[in-house]
Amino acid sequence: MTADYRPLELEKEIREFWEKNRVQQKLALFKEKNNNGVLGYVEGPPTLNGIPHVGHARGRVMKDLRYRWKTMQGYYVPFWAGWDCQGLPVELEVEKLLGVKNKRELLEKVGMEHFIQECKKAVMKYHKEWVAVDGRLGVFMDHGKAYWTYKDEYIEREWQILKRAWDQGLLEEGYYVVAYCPGCQTSLSSAEVGYEGAYQVVEDPSLYFKFKLAGRRDEYFLVWTTMPFTLITDTMLAVHPEAEYAKVKVNEEKWILAKSRVQPVMQELGIEEYEITETMLGKNLEGTGYDYPFKDIVPEQAELEKKHPLVHKVILEDFVDVNTATGVVHQSPGNGEEDFFAAQKRGVPIFAPFDDEVKFTKEAGLFNGKFARDADAAVVEELQKRGLLVSAETLKHEYPTCWRSHHKLVWLARKEYFLRTDRINSKVLEAADRVNYFYESPRNRFISFLKEGKPWCISRERVWGAPLPIWKCKECGTKTLVASKKELLAKAREKPQADFELHRPWVDRITFKCEKCGGVMHREDFVLDAWHNSGASPYARFTDEEFRNYVPVDYLTEAMDQTRGWANTLLLEYVILTGKAESPYKAFLLQGLTQDARGRKMSKSLGNVIEANKALEKYSSDVFRFYVLRKCPPPDSNDFDPQELSRRPYQVLSTLYHLSRFFAQNSEFDGFDPEKHTLQSAKREKQLKSPDLWLLSRIQQTIETYTEKLGTCEFNLALAQLEDAVIEDLSRLYVPMVRKELWTDDQETLGRRLAVYSTLWYVLKTITLLFNPVTPYLSEALYQNVYRQLDSSLPETVNLENWPRPDEGLRNKAMEDDFQTLFSTVSLVYSARQSAKLKRRWPLSRMVVVAPEKTREALKSLEGLLLELTNVKVVEYAEMTPQHIPEEGWVSAAENGTQVFLDVHRDQKLLGEGAMRDLARRVQALRKELGYMPTDILDDVYMAELDNETVQLLQPYLQEMKELIRARNIHLLVDRGETGTDWHESQLDERKVYIAIRAQNKKPSI
Ligand SMILES: [Zn+2]
Ligand SMILES: [Zn+2]
């Protein structure tokens, strides 16, 4: 073991050790055969469409933590990778790569076959990056068993879920208003519309216009919109039935709008002279007709009036909000969800004259060929011409844009395929309710999202995706769904080409003969929403047998944005598949975002994205893992600051490393044998002392609380336990209490030293095991270099150890309480010392502790330690402040009913001992700096430039100093003289002193 903790080197060595000995594979194989139970797992597949950043790495760490922990608890977890390969993001990237601007260009210039090949290539590029991250992080995920959502066997099983939906009548085609991205030329699911960052501030028209009441001269409805193009598809006006409406006289005209809106709207329009002439309830307006103004330029609108009596009439709807705009809402069922429902329930025809690029078709008359949003200006102009425009301004507001391409979304009624998840919503909610989400707020967010219960539009008008397996007869419209390749080939009218796969264009070329009419059946040329691909994974990635054994899985964790994504689609598809109100996962931890050090979202545009591989080249994986888990609770957003890695997280791991090294060196020197020198033997020989008993008791609580916090996914609190055990219990408290006992090679006290080693063996090894799910490299390194060195019968890897359990026989609550009293009294002494500027190393003659009986009893039982830790010669106890303490020459400190008084007077003896300890400490530091092992014995130690007085003071303490610094001879010199020695400058109080060390036969070793 190197003298310093050098994690990057250590991790490289351990990585090689794991690879060479196939540790990961052996572990999985062993647990598969020997376990106390199986905990299913299905990987939330990363989309292979981007370089993994540190936020992704945080997610990997949380997955691996659970795997290692549960494995050590004796479970078998099929911790197998999975990759999400298809979908729009991949297509868009490849389009860019191939230099095509849109889908039409893509199909014309590139062709589907070539495109599919390119998509596969793009995916593999990112796959490499992800595998590298896992390798660096030490994530023990099995990549050999990965699933790929684009593979035929996966798609076939995904189809089987669709078949279940089809059979239950939950998969159907229909017109429906979907959010459509004109850039990507595909519809988006409602979940996608709600993605973070999808809403952006955009500028839109803000338009007041009038529709004239049919058969009236100067009466109008006043209406407002931000999307003038929707007037082209307008078919009705809606008012709220119970709200009060007013007729307002403006010049010679009368306008109808909600009464409560009259004043603000008039003010906005800058109309000062107006008068309410009449009021009425909304319901009195029902059925009122209005003159649709564009019948001349959109002739189809005139046809619509003939088709249904409600076209261009007022309808009553509760969703009308009379607190904004005019309270009269124009209805365009082809372009709005609420409008669509309003029309559908009345049987009013849906008018949606758009093509795939959201350009108006010839049914839109004059507007034919115009892109929807580009028609806005033309509509305003036409209103103006007809004298119907009241005001045309613009406004900035939040409007949903495409989460990939940031085009403004357009709501369109389209013919799509839907999973009617709205019909199984109560089952879905019931299933979700049984899941453990660990934290309230992510749970509430998820449940309230699920309550929306909208149908799920699963069809996409794209290429690189799992094909929708529905064929439709051209003649009679009969549809059939196939659920396997076998079935497909059996039905095919012609044998497919050799390179056939379950993708476009190959599947598109397959036609069936209609069983009903003998006509030709063609595939409905959609692909599936990529979220449907990944949502199928609990079924599609396994065989039937594995599915039975592993699902519902034990635990999943993904980033918070998967609330609307994977967490949702997994649940929906599983309820469809099983027909049960059951979730495919028992627990789901949603992690917060990872942001930059200043709390800003990581984004390409800000240039603040930290790639995981680059970061892990530079920083230790263990330190990284500890840091991201320790920093904040999992659902919080994590402000990742690389500078913080080298502070506390490094310090904690480095301390554990040094403690282990300290233990290894000392115990080896004394011939400690863990098989022989056990806690039991130490106990039998009465060599265990109170510090050992205290530490052994403390560690039981650490095991218990730490394990409990891992179970509740409070990783930050769990690690606080480990941090305390290392920094406080071991490093700050226990080791200082026993260090002196280890600092000798006296054979008479060997038994005592072995007892300390058996305590440290137990405690440090336990801590090393507890650390393994967090810092697998450090744990393995310590396991191999410390514990397996001392006991070769231990398992080959730390991962094969059993998870520590609290040993009730080692708990000693009374002892812990006594030590608590001791430590708080010691710190009172320290603060008293501080107020008199007396270093801790300087011995003092006496102190008085004034405290209640219980405290005094505790301190008396630990008096030796009290004197040693406070560095005071004598202690007296009292119930009340004793008379003999004068105000001068004493300092005191008090807390919680305990007061300590400290005699600050130091005679020659105390001064001499203090100086000796100061110097000894400097020699110790120098020993370390020069690379001597703590066990090395020095031949000569020279100390020079001391004044005569100090030399005198030191004389009586030379023997003690020799023992402390492990030296045979100490030479105190006034001058440095001509010794030819290698002097090292040091500081004693205000003075410079010089120290030199000579050890024959022993070269300083680094
Ligand atoms: Zn888009
Ligand atoms: Zn047919």
Side-chain angles (χ1 to χ4, degrees):
M1 290 172 86
T2 53
D4 313 324
Y5 171 48
R6 297 183 202 153
L8 283 174
E9 270 170 47
L10 176 151
E11 287 162 20
K12 187 166 170 278
E13 275 165 30
I14 295 299
R15 208 171 286 128
E16 283 162 11
F17 166 79
W18 284 340
E19 270 164 32
K20 193 175 142 220
N21 298 288
R22 299 180 49 78
V23 166
Q24 184 191 321
Q25 293 80 351
K26 279 186 204 163
L27 175 67
L29 216 62
F30 179 83
K31 292 291 169 185
E32 194 178 354
K33 294 195 178 117
N34 313 277
N35 59 64
N36 316 324
V38 175
L39 297 177
Y41 177 80
V42 63
E43 166 68 345
T47 306
L48 294 179
N49 180 238
I51 306 279
H53 58 69
V54 287
H56 294 119
R58 180 183 180 220
R60 305 306 274 178
V61 168
M62 288 187 195
K63 291 176 179 181
D64 191 57
L65 173 135
R66 180 88 174 191
Y67 171 73
R68 286 178 192 265
W69 172 44
K70 287 294 160 187
T71 301
M72 287 176 83
Q73 282 189 329
Y75 294 100
Y76 170 58
V77 183
F79 196 42
W80 304 341
W83 308 108
D84 196 10
C85 311
Q86 302 171 131
L88 195 53
V90 181
E91 289 199 33
L92 292 179
E93 186 191 323
V94 176
E95 275 187 8
K96 220 188 227 173
L97 211 75
L98 297 173
V100 296
K101 282 199 291 294
N102 56 37
K103 199 168 84 188
R104 201 183 50 221
E105 258 190 55
L106 171 74
L107 300 181
E108 283 166 8
K109 290 191 185 161
V110 179
M112 287 194 199
E113 274 109 330
H114 181 201
F115 184 59
I116 296 272
Q117 296 316 321
E118 290 298 321
C119 287
K120 286 181 190 170
K121 263 194 236 161
V123 160
M124 288 318 291
K125 183 174 74 189
Y126 295 112
H127 175 249
K128 249 192 226 155
E129 288 276 340
W130 280 88
V131 171
V133 169
D134 277 359
R136 288 203 161 97
L137 284 173
V139 168
F140 268 11
M141 193 179 277
D142 189 340
H143 286 137
K145 290 225 174 196
Y147 69 91
W148 301 76
T149 57
Y150 79 88
K151 296 258 168 103
D152 281 3
E153 60 268 24
Y154 186 94
I155 290 173
E156 280 187 286
R157 286 183 75 84
E158 185 179 355
W159 282 1
Q160 289 173 32
I161 298 176
L162 289 177
K163 179 151 175 61
R164 289 285 303 143
W166 185 254
D167 292 345
Q168 294 171 77
L170 293 174
L171 172 55
E172 59 184 37
E173 180 192 17
Y175 260 107
Y176 198 81
V177 173
V178 292
Y180 191 88
C181 173
C184 306
Q185 290 175 32
T186 186
S187 44
L188 276 71
S189 70
S190 54
E192 285 170 306
V193 177
Y195 279 171
E196 263 190 67
Y199 276 78
Q200 295 196 336
V201 174
V202 300
E203 195 170 81
D204 266 327
S206 167
L207 199 72
Y208 283 95
F209 62 93
K210 304 177 289 190
F211 275 174
K212 190 167 154 297
L213 271 70
R216 302 291 179 95
R217 274 200 58 176
D218 291 316
E219 288 185 20
Y220 297 89
F221 287 107
L222 186 65
V223 191
W224 179 79
T225 185
T226 56
M227 293 187 283
F229 80 90
T230 60
L231 265 66
I232 299 163
T233 55
D234 171 89
T235 51
M236 292 174 293
L237 289 177
V239 297
H240 194 287
E242 302 308 326
E244 210 177 350
Y245 285 80
K247 237 179 230 179
V248 184
K249 188 167 182 295
V250 179
N251 298 326
E252 295 310 309
E253 297 178 358
K254 283 178 181 160
W255 298 350
I256 297 173
L257 68 157
K259 192 180 169 214
S260 60
R261 296 298 302 161
V262 174
Q263 199 272 333
V265 169
M266 291 304 145
Q267 193 179 347
E268 194 185 332
L269 295 174
I271 297 170
E272 280 166 15
E273 280 185 36
Y274 62 90
E275 186 192 342
I276 295 177
T277 59
E278 197 184 331
T279 63
M280 68 220 80
L281 285 178
K283 59 185 162 200
N284 301 124
L285 293 166
E286 187 178 17
T288 308
Y290 60 95
D291 289 340
Y292 177 75
F294 300 153
K295 275 189 272 191
D296 52 340
I297 50 176
V298 187
E300 184 63 23
Q301 281 278 15
E303 296 302 308
L304 289 174
E305 280 183 12
K306 292 178 199 157
K307 285 185 187 158
H308 199 280
L310 280 179
V311 172
H312 304 143
K313 297 275 165 57
V314 172
I315 59 166
L316 307 179
E317 279 293 347
D318 286 337
F319 64 69
V320 173
D321 181 1
V322 289
N323 298 310
T324 59
T326 67
V328 181
V329 183
H330 106 84
Q331 297 287 294
S332 155
N335 292 106
E337 199 175 4
E338 280 174 332
D339 319 34
F340 174 83
F341 284 128
Q344 245 201 351
K345 73 181 176 201
R346 294 173 172 86
V348 170
I350 311 294
F351 184 45
F354 298 100
D355 68 10
D356 285 352
E357 290 173 36
V358 203
K359 287 180 180 156
F360 281 105
T361 58
K362 60 178 189 300
E363 283 184 304
L366 182 72
F367 301 99
N368 182 18
K370 259 197 167 45
F371 170 58
R373 299 282 344 205
D374 292 344
D376 283 348
V379 167
V380 173
E381 199 180 305
E382 292 297 329
L383 285 170
Q384 176 100 47
K385 269 194 217 164
R386 289 162 172 75
L388 296 171
L389 185 67
V390 177
S391 127
E393 305 284 329
T394 57
L395 93 172
K396 282 187 176 163
H397 64 159
E398 292 222 313
Y399 186 85
T401 60
C402 173
W403 61 284
R404 290 300 311 183
S405 68
H406 291 295
H407 284 86
K408 278 193 227 172
L409 298 179
V410 180
W411 267 256
L412 279 184
R414 286 185 65 91
K415 195 201 77 168
E416 301 279 354
Y417 276 85
F418 292 89
L419 281 175
R420 294 303 302 267
T421 43
D422 50 326
R423 295 190 192 138
I424 52 165
N425 195 236
S426 63
K427 263 188 203 173
V428 170
L429 286 170
E430 202 184 322
D433 199 46
R434 292 189 192 146
V435 174
N436 175 11
Y437 301 93
F438 303 101
Y439 292 84
E440 269 307 299
S441 76
R443 176 201 164 84
N444 295 341
R445 204 171 312 145
F446 187 40
I447 301 281
S448 77
F449 163 69
L450 288 175
K451 277 187 180 154
E452 290 174 17
K454 291 188 180 170
W456 177 8
C457 173
I458 55 161
S459 48
R460 296 288 181 273
E461 295 82 351
R462 299 292 317 189
V463 179
W464 176 231
L468 178 77
I470 295 175
W471 272 255
K472 184 175 172 185
C473 175
K474 276 217 156 165
E475 309 301 321
C476 72
T478 300
K479 286 179 190 166
T480 185
L481 181 145
V482 299
S484 73
K485 206 169 176 175
K486 203 174 145 198
E487 194 185 342
L488 180 73
L489 297 178
K491 284 195 162 133
R493 287 161 75 234
E494 279 169 44
K495 268 211 178 312
Q497 57 199 88
D499 60 348
F500 175 81
E501 60 177 81
L502 295 184
H503 278 113
R504 304 185 72 182
W506 297 276
V507 277
D508 297 344
R509 293 179 186 140
I510 294 205
T511 55
F512 303 160
K513 186 178 156 196
C514 175
E515 284 178 6
K516 229 182 205 164
C517 74
V520 180
M521 300 181 91
H522 291 268
R523 197 181 73 85
E524 294 279 80
D525 61 3
F526 297 102
V527 296
L528 294 167
D529 180 0
W531 290 110
H532 192 275
N533 302 161
S534 54
S537 58
Y539 181 75
R541 78 96 59 237
F542 293 124
T543 63
D544 283 341
E545 195 195 341
E546 288 164 346
F547 176 70
R548 273 195 303 277
N549 292 339
Y550 302 152
V551 186
V553 302
D554 171 57
Y555 164 89
L556 298 176
T557 177
E558 294 296 333
M560 203 66 84
D561 53 11
Q562 298 296 331
T563 307
R564 287 165 168 271
W566 199 53
N568 170 40
T569 61
L570 280 177
L571 190 61
L572 296 176
E573 289 181 56
Y574 192 74
V575 172
I576 289 170
L577 178 72
T578 62
K580 288 191 277 189
E582 188 179 71
S583 163
Y585 44 85
K586 293 177 189 155
F588 205 121
L589 173 68
L590 290 152
Q591 317 141 19
L593 274 181
T594 294
Q595 310 179 127
D596 73 5
R598 287 158 61 190
R600 297 173 308 173
K601 204 179 161 185
M602 289 192 187
S603 73
K604 272 189 194 154
S605 56
L606 284 174
N608 60 352
V609 180
I610 305 179
E611 291 181 14
N613 277 316
K614 286 188 183 156
L616 293 170
E617 252 169 47
K618 227 158 82 196
Y619 308 113
S620 143
S621 293
D622 279 338
V623 175
F624 175 89
R625 290 175 66 125
F626 186 91
Y627 170 70
V628 294
L629 293 168
R630 176 73 180 94
K631 170 136 180 168
C632 63
D636 287 10
S637 25
N638 188 352
D639 297 343
F640 184 86
D641 183 354
Q643 295 196 318
E644 289 176 343
L645 290 167
S646 58
R647 295 175 196 154
R648 187 72 168 174
Y650 178 86
Q651 189 203 342
V652 173
L653 303 192
S654 166
T655 305
L656 175 61
Y657 179 88
H658 285 292
L659 285 167
S660 308
R661 187 167 175 266
F662 167 81
F663 162 68
Q665 287 174 343
N666 282 284
S667 62
E668 197 191 348
F669 182 84
D670 277 324
F672 170 71
D673 174 356
E675 297 242 6
K676 225 162 75 195
H677 309 121
T678 59
L679 282 177
Q680 286 71 26
S681 67
K683 210 170 175 179
R684 240 183 353 257
E685 287 154 28
K686 302 212 166 15
Q687 291 286 6
L688 285 182
K689 289 195 190 166
S690 39
D692 316 323
L693 298 174
W694 166 78
L695 182 68
L696 290 167
S697 180
R698 281 287 303 154
I699 188 74
Q700 308 313 322
Q701 192 58 47
T702 304
I703 299 170
E704 186 180 316
T705 314
Y706 176 65
T707 308
E708 199 182 290
K709 297 289 173 200
L710 287 187
T712 51
C713 293
E714 293 167 284
F715 304 135
N716 55 321
L717 299 182
L719 291 203
Q721 293 289 318
L722 291 193
E723 195 174 309
D724 258 10
V726 171
I727 302 283
E728 290 296 310
D729 293 350
L730 270 161
S731 177
R732 198 176 71 81
L733 299 172
Y734 180 73
V735 170
M737 290 192 279
V738 298
R739 183 180 274 139
K740 221 172 144 187
E741 294 183 283
L742 300 183
W743 206 245
T744 159
D745 42 16
D746 187 347
Q747 279 307 304
E748 276 190 18
T749 54
L750 179 62
R752 171 61 195 142
R753 292 201 295 282
L754 292 171
V756 171
Y757 301 141
S758 65
T759 304
L760 281 173
W761 165 274
Y762 173 86
V763 174
L764 276 172
K765 180 165 170 273
T766 298
I767 288 178
T768 301
L769 301 190
L770 296 178
F771 261 99
N772 185 45
V774 182
T775 57
Y777 290 106
L778 178 58
S779 286
E780 187 77 277
L782 297 178
Y783 192 74
Q784 300 300 334
N785 297 323
V786 179
Y787 306 103
R788 286 192 83 213
Q789 283 294 316
L790 287 164
D791 181 356
S792 56
S793 71
L794 289 179
E796 188 183 356
T797 165
V798 66
N799 297 287
L800 281 169
E801 281 275 358
N802 291 326
W803 190 249
R805 284 184 171 176
D807 181 343
E808 296 308 321
L810 291 173
R811 283 207 213 239
N812 191 337
K813 184 76 181 74
M815 181 70 79
E816 284 192 49
D817 289 346
D818 287 354
F819 268 84
Q820 198 46 53
T821 305
L822 170 69
F823 296 139
S824 46
T825 309
V826 170
S827 62
L828 273 183
V829 175
Y830 289 163
S831 57
R833 273 177 176 270
Q834 210 163 25
S835 64
K837 297 203 164 54
L838 293 164
K839 288 186 189 169
R840 289 183 200 177
R841 284 186 303 283
W842 295 347
L844 294 175
S845 61
R846 55 183 177 152
M847 66 174 154
V848 179
V849 178
V850 180
E853 196 188 348
K854 196 162 175 270
T855 306
R856 298 198 311 265
E857 288 310 311
L859 293 176
K860 277 177 195 166
S861 74
L862 299 169
E863 190 171 295
L865 286 169
L866 176 64
L867 293 176
E868 195 186 319
L869 295 174
T870 54
N871 200 11
V872 176
K873 301 293 175 198
V874 178
V875 57
E876 286 169 34
Y877 305 94
E879 192 154 5
M880 311 236 278
T881 310
Q883 299 292 324
H884 70 263
I885 297 178
E887 283 191 13
E888 298 264 313
W890 289 74
V891 288
S892 85
E895 199 179 72
N896 296 333
T898 300
Q899 187 167 20
V900 298
F901 293 89
L902 217 49
D903 185 346
V904 298
H905 175 71
R906 299 199 292 152
D907 59 16
Q908 296 288 303
K909 274 171 72 181
L910 292 175
L911 287 171
E913 193 182 339
M916 181 275 284
R917 284 178 188 257
D918 268 345
L919 279 169
R921 189 166 156 273
R922 286 184 167 58
V923 176
Q924 297 295 54
L926 185 60
R927 275 182 72 116
K928 206 171 176 183
E929 197 186 310
L930 296 178
Y932 288 96
M933 304 278 271
T935 46
D936 291 341
I937 310 266
L938 310 175
D939 290 313
D940 295 283
V941 173
Y942 302 88
M943 298 171 193
E945 306 282 319
L946 300 168
D947 57 41
N948 280 319
E949 195 197 338
T950 309
V951 173
Q952 287 302 314
L953 283 174
L954 284 169
Q955 282 303 339
Y957 296 98
L958 285 185
Q959 188 52 39
E960 196 178 337
M961 173 134 68
K962 280 183 200 168
E963 281 165 24
L964 266 178
I965 62 175
R966 286 198 154 170
R968 288 188 226 283
N969 302 299
I970 293 176
H971 311 271
L972 303 177
L973 308 167
V974 176
D975 298 318
R976 264 178 284 174
E978 297 294 318
T979 49
T981 325
D982 198 2
W983 290 107
H984 297 269
E985 192 182 297
S986 192
Q987 198 85 15
L988 180 68
D989 294 329
E990 306 299 300
R991 220 170 45 236
K992 267 183 191 149
V993 294
Y994 293 85
I995 302 173
I997 289 177
R998 208 167 57 79
Q1000 257 161 15
N1001 305 333
K1002 190 75 196 175
K1003 284 252 170 67
S1005 61
I1006 302 283

